[in-house]
Amino acid sequence: MKFKWKRRTYTLLIVPDAAQSVARVRLSNIVVFGALAALAIFVIASLAVYALHLRSIVITQQLRTELTGSSQHYAMTLSDKEQTINQLQNEIIKLSQQTKDMKTRVDEMTKLENDLKSISGKGGAASASGSGSGQAAASGEGSQGGAFVPVSNSQIDELSASTSDTLAQLSQQLTELQSSMSETKQKVLEQQHLLRITPTLYPTMTRTVTSPFGYRIDPINGMPSFHSGIDFGAAAGDDVFATADGTVVSVGKDASHGNNIVISHGQGLKTWYMHLSKSLVSEGDNVTKGQRIGLVGNTGRSTGAHLHYELIQNGKSIDPKPYLQSMKE
Ligand SMILES: [Zn+2]
């Protein structure tokens, strides 16, 4: 369409119903184009506003989605943390129960050690150092139940602190137990040694005593005399045993004692074995309790095969019988 810009006028006819007269409005082309331009601007502006509105809706939607997502994330993190805290608190409870059990056991061990100490002699047991708080041992493995009573953080803190205290006590108690036990061990070793060097063993297999220690009528000359040992009615050739650990201090032979052996056991004690048919050890030999040292015989001043066994304490003959009696028959 050709469009020539000229000053023109347009007439707008307004035709009402029936017999009324037609109204005429004369408009210049400037006014018409101005009106059209204004309309176009209005439409464009409306569209722009509408587009902005749409965009804001989309952005709002996006933000809402993001917000929901992150709040879900935080909710999950929070629940994870709560779960972790619950687990840790349960661990503390378990640990405190285990600590209690351990304390009970250590208390029992302390008591046992005290018993051992009193058995091993000498030092009176210093009575279970107030440790036995007598908790019921062993956490029952049976059914459990009861109302649920939630635990506060401060209660857990207290439990944790008391568990830590108990563990410190345990450590101290174990240290004491350790030193006490090594002391007891030392005592037991001493006792063992003492037993080994004490002549408690019978020197022959036979326990038949043909002549005890003490005053008697001499079997050879019939005169009153003192018998300084015990005669065992063993047969010739029977084994003669060292009655305790010791060192052979003499192996000899003379008209009175015949073949004879003297063993020193320390602590001022010696044993003497007489009338042997044969000696099986030499002077200076270390012998052990029960070791075969010679054979029964009838040498020296003797009326028949037997073993004269003598115990000497600090140079004086004493009755060996009480020592022998301390042994189980
Ligand atoms: Zn005798």
Side-chain angles (χ1 to χ4, degrees):
M1 183 177 103
K2 270 192 174 176
F3 188 80
K4 283 187 183 171
W5 182 257
K6 279 186 182 171
R7 192 169 173 80
R8 283 187 193 166
T9 55
Y10 294 89
T11 306
L12 189 64
L13 293 178
I14 299 166
V15 186
D17 282 344
Q20 288 182 352
S21 57
V22 172
R24 289 165 187 251
V25 180
R26 297 189 70 183
L27 301 165
S28 76
N29 60 348
I30 292 170
V31 171
V32 172
F33 281 115
L36 284 173
L39 185 67
I41 287 167
F42 175 74
V43 168
I44 289 165
S46 296
L47 283 173
V49 166
Y50 185 63
L52 279 173
H53 176 65
L54 280 181
R55 196 168 129 67
S56 78
I57 286 175
V58 169
I59 289 173
T60 308
Q61 197 59 42
Q62 272 177 357
L63 283 175
R64 191 171 289 157
T65 312
E66 274 175 29
L67 202 63
T68 312
S70 60
S71 74
Q72 270 175 357
H73 171 71
Y74 286 128
M76 273 170 66
T77 311
L78 203 63
S79 111
D80 277 357
K81 292 254 187 291
E82 272 174 10
Q83 220 176 340
T84 308
I85 288 171
N86 283 344
Q87 272 175 2
L88 285 174
Q89 291 188 337
N90 282 342
E91 289 297 325
I92 289 174
I93 290 172
K94 258 195 247 171
L95 194 69
S96 90
Q97 284 167 346
Q98 284 171 346
T99 307
K100 263 190 196 171
D101 285 353
M102 207 157 111
K103 177 96 172 70
T104 308
R105 286 192 192 175
V106 171
D107 284 347
E108 284 168 359
M109 262 175 73
T110 307
K111 194 172 172 301
L112 201 68
E113 211 282 321
N114 270 303
D115 291 348
L116 202 65
K117 198 180 269 178
S118 63
I119 290 168
S120 74
K122 293 181 188 172
S127 88
S129 64
S131 48
S133 39
Q135 293 122 330
S139 47
E141 289 168 67
S143 313
Q144 298 185 4
F148 170 69
V149 180
V151 175
S152 71
N153 284 349
S154 67
Q155 280 174 313
I156 289 290
D157 284 351
E158 267 175 40
L159 186 65
S160 168
S162 82
T163 302
S164 169
D165 282 353
T166 311
L167 278 171
Q169 274 178 31
L170 269 176
S171 170
Q172 172 70 18
Q173 212 174 333
L174 280 171
T175 307
E176 283 167 16
L177 198 61
Q178 199 174 18
S179 87
S180 170
M181 278 178 92
S182 59
E183 211 176 281
T184 307
K185 181 187 168 190
Q186 191 55 37
K187 269 186 198 165
V188 169
L189 286 176
E190 279 168 20
Q191 291 240 323
Q192 265 183 347
H193 176 68
L194 195 65
L195 189 66
R196 289 213 62 86
I197 61 167
T198 305
T200 54
L201 206 66
Y202 277 80
T204 54
M205 290 300 281
T206 182
R207 297 188 177 183
T208 308
V209 173
T210 51
S211 182
F213 177 89
Y215 295 100
R216 68 172 183 181
I217 297 164
D218 187 86
I220 292 175
N221 62 21
M223 299 287 284
S225 65
F226 185 78
H227 190 218
S228 56
I230 292 177
D231 289 345
F232 287 98
D238 278 1
D239 291 330
V240 174
F241 309 109
T243 55
D245 283 7
T247 306
V248 177
V249 289
S250 115
V251 177
K253 184 177 183 177
D254 60 66
S256 173
H257 310 109
N259 291 316
N260 67 95
I261 300 169
V262 180
I263 298 174
S264 171
H265 306 284
Q267 316 249 339
L269 283 179
K270 286 180 188 169
T271 50
W272 200 354
Y273 312 79
M274 302 178 193
H275 313 303
L276 306 175
S277 62
K278 194 177 182 188
S279 296
L280 301 173
V281 289
S282 310
E283 203 176 304
D285 284 358
N286 287 318
V287 292
T288 55
K289 197 166 187 168
Q291 183 180 330
R292 207 160 70 109
I293 54 168
L295 303 176
V296 172
N298 185 27
T299 56
R301 193 168 183 274
S302 168
T303 57
H306 76 283
L307 174 75
H308 175 100
Y309 173 66
E310 202 162 321
L311 179 59
I312 300 161
Q313 186 178 49
N314 301 321
K316 194 180 167 219
S317 296
I318 58 166
D319 189 0
K321 187 77 180 163
Y323 282 85
L324 297 175
Q325 279 174 343
S326 72
M327 238 193 92
K328 281 181 185 168
E329 302 260 340

